[in-house]
Amino acid sequence: MKGSLRLSLSQKLQQRLSPLQMRFVRLLEMNGLEIEDEVRRELDDNPALEVADTPAIEGDDDFNESAEDLQLADYRDEDEIPSYRFEANNRSADDDFYEPVAVADEGSLGESLTRQLSETDIDARDLQIARYIIGNLDDNGYLTRTLTQILDDLAINAGIDVPMEHLREIVGRVRALDPPGVCAYDLRDCLVLQLRRMPRSDIRDLALEIVEHYFDIFSLRHFDRLASMLDVDRDRLREADELIRSLNPKPGGQIGDSAGDEKSRHIIPDFNVEVDGNVVTLSLVNNVPELTIESSFVSDGNSFISVAGSSGEHKAARTFINRKREDATEFIELLRIRQETLYKV
């Protein structure tokens, strides 16, 4: 057998982000509140970082109360102030005015399922077991523990001994609640639960057979193979696919996302834009203070190192001081670049 050596030359172009670039991207993705929390966390973790002393602006202590503030000061406390003092209606008589309407909250997924169970003929002991099962559902409605683990938890934590068959019955009662698909073991089981709750039809039965017995092939989108194995044409297979795709893979996510939650969400802007004629003023809306290096870390850090001690201790101390100073300098620079980038955007 003859051996041969081959020499090949290939050229690849790869782009990799350095750790500093990754950290900058993470800071750039944060909103105003998140960047404030990040600054506070960095101030707590890094002793080389401190808030810069900003000089007081001349005239800050001057009297600047408005006439409205003076009128409100005539009352002893806020409870005595009439409600109309806090209202301002700058609309014209032709404008539509809508009063805010309180919206009843649906509650969490666990509260919704427990309320549905309470309306059935379930006894107190089974209701306690069902609540324990519901407590092991995640936000999407999936069961996070196996039945064996739940059985052990009930015996150890709650002191309830229940046969496995009876536990399966109670799990089945939870799985029969709304929304369809809750208390599923996995995605395939979630889709099966939803399909079984639908009215029977040829397409529904085909979709159920696909999910129950050919889910792996369906997940890979091998429709030709599916059509051959099921002996169906592509049109019926396409209708079954559309039905499966219309199901909700996260049934628990739709509970607790009511109109009241939508109304209570406040959008906090990152920018404040003021237009005065042809002049546009742009400012960042956050409370990030100006940061600087702590005075003890500005030099080489000898103020932290005592005269006594071994040279190894001195070296370790200098390494610690230099590392913290470099981290603080890097963080200050990243904040500056982030602000410049936002302004450019």
Side-chain angles (χ1 to χ4, degrees):
M1 179 181 295
K2 295 183 179 180
S4 62
L5 296 177
R6 294 182 179 180
L7 181 63
S8 61
L9 180 63
S10 62
Q11 184 177 7
K12 294 182 179 180
L13 181 61
Q14 295 181 345
Q15 183 178 8
R16 295 182 179 179
L17 296 178
S18 65
L20 182 62
Q21 291 173 323
M22 293 292 294
R23 190 179 184 189
F24 169 69
V25 171
R26 188 174 66 86
L27 289 178
L28 191 61
E29 292 177 346
M30 296 181 179
N31 57 31
L33 295 178
E34 292 173 341
I35 199 66
E36 292 174 17
D37 293 338
E38 183 70 16
V39 170
R40 282 192 292 266
R41 190 180 304 110
E42 196 71 20
L43 286 171
D44 294 337
D45 295 341
N46 194 344
L49 197 64
E50 68 174 2
V51 179
D53 294 331
T54 55
I57 301 175
E58 184 178 356
D60 277 354
D61 297 332
D62 295 343
F63 178 80
N64 56 1
E65 288 187 330
S66 62
E68 183 179 357
D69 294 334
L70 291 175
Q71 293 177 3
L72 295 178
D74 293 337
Y75 301 93
R76 287 184 299 179
D77 51 43
E78 289 188 359
D79 295 335
E80 293 188 357
I81 302 176
S83 60
Y84 68 87
R85 289 290 187 184
F86 297 103
E87 298 177 357
N89 189 352
N90 296 325
R91 289 172 289 271
S92 67
D94 298 331
D95 290 342
D96 294 331
F97 178 69
Y98 299 96
E99 291 287 347
V101 179
V103 181
D105 193 0
E106 298 179 359
S108 63
L109 174 63
E111 294 174 351
S112 176
L113 297 177
T114 304
R115 183 172 60 253
Q116 295 178 56
L117 279 174
S118 302
E119 298 172 354
T120 63
D121 58 349
I122 188 171
D123 57 48
R125 183 172 180 270
D126 289 352
L127 181 60
Q128 183 180 1
I129 298 174
R131 285 176 176 172
Y132 197 88
I133 296 172
I134 293 173
N136 286 279
L137 301 180
D138 59 14
D139 294 336
N140 297 323
Y142 288 89
L143 194 61
T144 58
R145 297 178 67 80
T146 64
L147 297 186
T148 303
Q149 292 172 335
I150 293 177
L151 206 66
D152 296 337
D153 293 343
L154 285 171
I156 297 173
N157 300 330
I160 299 177
D161 292 327
V162 56
M164 177 60 76
E165 291 300 323
H166 189 59
L167 179 64
R168 288 195 178 97
E169 293 179 5
I170 301 177
V171 170
R173 300 191 67 164
V174 177
R175 289 157 65 92
L177 301 175
D178 292 326
V182 294
C183 200
Y185 303 114
D186 50 29
L187 176 59
R188 186 195 66 83
D189 188 36
C190 177
L191 300 180
V192 168
L193 289 176
Q194 297 180 56
L195 288 171
R196 286 178 177 173
R197 300 275 289 271
M198 291 183 174
R200 296 199 59 177
S201 65
D202 293 339
I203 301 302
R204 174 262 186 190
D205 293 342
L206 177 60
L208 184 59
E209 184 179 2
I210 292 174
V211 175
E212 283 186 323
H213 304 292
Y214 305 97
F215 188 68
D216 293 338
I217 302 176
F218 173 79
S219 302
L220 298 175
R221 317 298 289 172
H222 292 168
F223 293 121
D224 292 335
R225 184 179 175 187
L226 265 179
S228 176
M229 296 177 68
L230 294 171
D231 193 19
V232 295
D233 54 46
R234 291 299 299 267
D235 292 336
R236 290 188 59 199
L237 190 61
R238 185 180 65 255
E239 293 180 13
D241 174 55
E242 293 176 355
L243 179 59
I244 296 173
R245 290 164 62 91
S246 67
L247 303 177
N248 187 0
K250 300 178 181 180
Q254 66 190 56
I255 302 297
D257 193 14
S258 61
D261 296 329
E262 292 292 339
K263 289 180 177 293
S264 63
R265 293 193 183 107
H266 299 282
I267 298 176
I268 301 177
D270 290 326
F271 295 95
N272 185 22
V273 180
E274 297 179 358
V275 180
D276 184 9
N278 295 328
V279 179
V280 178
T281 304
L282 176 66
S283 59
L284 293 178
V285 183
N286 56 47
N287 296 320
V288 177
E290 183 180 354
L291 303 179
T292 186
I293 305 297
E294 204 272 334
S295 58
S296 303
F297 287 80
V298 173
S299 59
D300 58 358
N302 290 327
S303 58
F304 284 107
I305 305 175
S306 60
V307 177
S310 63
S311 59
E313 294 175 349
H314 288 179
K315 183 178 180 180
R318 281 193 294 268
T319 302
F320 171 80
I321 294 170
N322 292 334
R323 185 177 71 252
K324 290 298 181 181
R325 183 173 63 238
E326 291 174 359
D327 291 344
T329 304
E330 176 184 293
F331 186 72
I332 294 173
E333 181 65 15
L334 288 177
L335 286 180
R336 184 190 65 79
I337 299 176
R338 176 185 183 274
Q339 185 169 358
E340 291 181 355
T341 304
L342 291 178
Y343 271 117
K344 291 178 181 178
V345 171

